């Protein structure tokens, strides 16, 4: 049976470390690091994530603020708000929750956030810096993946890593981070031929496809380390009529029988992502104003 990589516990440790560093920032700078989260529209899941980010930031002693904008907010109004936050010295981190309503151009929005305040690490300048081996602000979920591999004492040099999913949010940046640690990295995706065989090559398998329980035991080599980034809500009639439950991209029960270590959903990369967002906010504050 695989070791369970307990993201909840590791995230708690990380938040404890951050609390001390935030206190030291406050005593030197006379203000708390500030995180501003912007959400447009009323997607219930996105609102849950945003509340969790706000709560986590205040718990470590940061100033957390959420801008909740109506679904019919214009692109111009959103860009104007971002320019205001860019210019505000008390704002260290800016995050626009995705997805955005269809009438707003996501690329334009992400390009408008100051790269120095881009705590998601989605700005092309930060993505480019990561790609050339000079990471500055790195996307939160990939950072959480690396931290869990470190805790699991996975020595990546020379190992085969397969990342399933090629998004800018997870797939591409996590591949860059694994490569920087000298893994041999394959990025697979929905059009990859014989995906199961490609995945079976992996010593480290990162599932970031967003398809509920797609990765079964037949995708996993005996003794592999499996990181499940998926958060999918599925119907769960066994819990009662109309009930749902959260599952990852990995069939946990069967994969846990062959893997050496595996992250659960929930309680794996979810809490790690939020803790890494806080780490990025403090890092962004220190980059702009010093420690
Ligand atoms: N929506 C889903 N994941 C993310 C994320 O990491 N950052 C933002 N801003 N929105 C998301």
């Amino acid at each position: 049976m695989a070791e369970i990589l307990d993201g909840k516990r590791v995230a708690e440790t990380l938040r404890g470390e951050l609390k001390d560093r935030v206190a030291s920032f406050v005593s030197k700078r006379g203000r708390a690091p500030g995180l501003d989260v912007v959400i447009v529209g009323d997607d219930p899941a996105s609102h849950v994530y945003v509340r969790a980010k706000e709560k986590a930031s205040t718990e470590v002693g940061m100033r957390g603020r959420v801008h909740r904008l109506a679904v019919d907010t214009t692109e111009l109004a959103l860009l104007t708000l971002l320019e205001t936050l860019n210019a505000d010295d008390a704002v260290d981190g800016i995050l626009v929750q995705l997805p955005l309503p269809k009438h707003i151009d996501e690329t334009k929005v992400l390009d408008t956030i100051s790269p120095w305040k881009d705590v998601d690490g989605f700005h092309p300048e930060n993505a480019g810096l990561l790609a050339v081996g000079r990471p500055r602000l790195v996307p939160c979920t990939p950072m959480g993946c690396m931290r869990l591999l470190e805790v699991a004492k996975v020595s990546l040099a020379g190992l085969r890593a397969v990342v399933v999913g090629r998004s800018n949010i997870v797939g591409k940046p996590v591949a860059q981070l694994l490569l920087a640690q000298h893994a041999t990295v394959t990025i697979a995706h929905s059009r990859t031929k014989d995906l199961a065989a490609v995945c079976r090559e992996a010593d480290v398998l990162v599932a970031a496809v967003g398809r509920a329980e797609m990765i079964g035991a037949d995708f996993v080599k005996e003794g592999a380390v499996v990181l499940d980034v998926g958060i999918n809500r599925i119907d769960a009639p066994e819990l009662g009529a109309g009930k749902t439950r959260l599952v990852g991209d990995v069939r946990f029960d069967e994969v846990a029988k062959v893997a050496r270590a595996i992250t659960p959903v929930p309680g794996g990369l979810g809490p790690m992502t939020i803790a890494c967002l806080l780490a990025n906010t403090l890092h962004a504050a220190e980059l702009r104003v010093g420690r």
Side-chain angles (χ1 to χ4, degrees), residues 266-277:
L269 269 318
M272 289 303 295
T273 297
I274 294 186
C276 290
L277 170 65

Side-chain angles (χ1 to χ4, degrees), residues 25-79:
F25 182 95
V26 172
S27 72
K28 281 203 189 103
R29 298 289 159 189
R31 68 168 183 86
L35 172 64
D36 281 54
V37 176
V38 182
I39 178 166
V40 186
D42 36 37
D43 176 57
S46 291
H47 276 272
V48 172
Y49 295 139
V50 161
R51 255 195 309 280
K53 290 169 185 177
E54 181 183 26
K55 182 162 166 276
S57 60
T58 54
E59 273 172 8
V60 295
M62 294 183 184
R63 178 191 58 69
R65 181 166 57 179
V66 178
H67 305 261
R68 294 183 174 85
L69 308 182
V71 67
D72 60 354
T73 299
T74 63
E75 184 180 282
L76 179 63
L78 176 56
L79 297 180

Side-chain angles (χ1 to χ4, degrees), residues 92-144:
D92 297 292
I94 304 170
L95 178 151
V96 176
Q97 186 67 27
L98 303 176
L100 286 165
K102 291 214 174 357
H103 67 280
I104 297 178
D105 180 348
E106 183 181 300
T107 303
K108 219 187 241 177
V109 169
L110 297 181
D111 287 3
T112 299
I113 297 171
S114 161
W116 295 95
K117 298 187 177 187
D118 167 37
V119 285
D120 258 331
F122 295 166
H123 191 285
E125 186 173 316
N126 287 318
L129 285 169
L130 176 61
V132 293
R134 294 158 52 197
R136 191 168 63 194
L137 288 166
V138 171
C140 305
T141 304
M143 200 196 281

Side-chain angles (χ1 to χ4, degrees), residues 215-220 250-259 262:
I215 309 281
D218 53 328
F219 286 60
V220 180
V250 174
R251 276 176 239 147
F252 182 89
D253 292 342
E254 62 177 69
V255 171
K257 289 185 185 132
V258 292
I262 184 171

Side-chain angles (χ1 to χ4, degrees), residues 15 18 25 44 109 129 131 135 161-162 166 173 220 228 244 246 248 252 261 270 283 286:
R15 288 202 307 268
L18 288 170
F25 182 95
V109 169
L129 285 169
V162 175
R166 53 176 154 175
V220 180
D228 188 354
T244 62
L246 284 184
F252 182 89
H283 184 46
E286 290 172 347

Side-chain angles (χ1 to χ4, degrees), residues 172-193:
K172 286 182 209 161
V174 82
Q176 296 288 359
L177 291 170
L178 291 162
L179 187 60
Q181 295 296 313
H182 317 292
T184 300
V185 182
T186 301
I187 304 181
H189 47 79
S190 54
R191 306 230 187 139
T192 298
K193 283 196 180 129

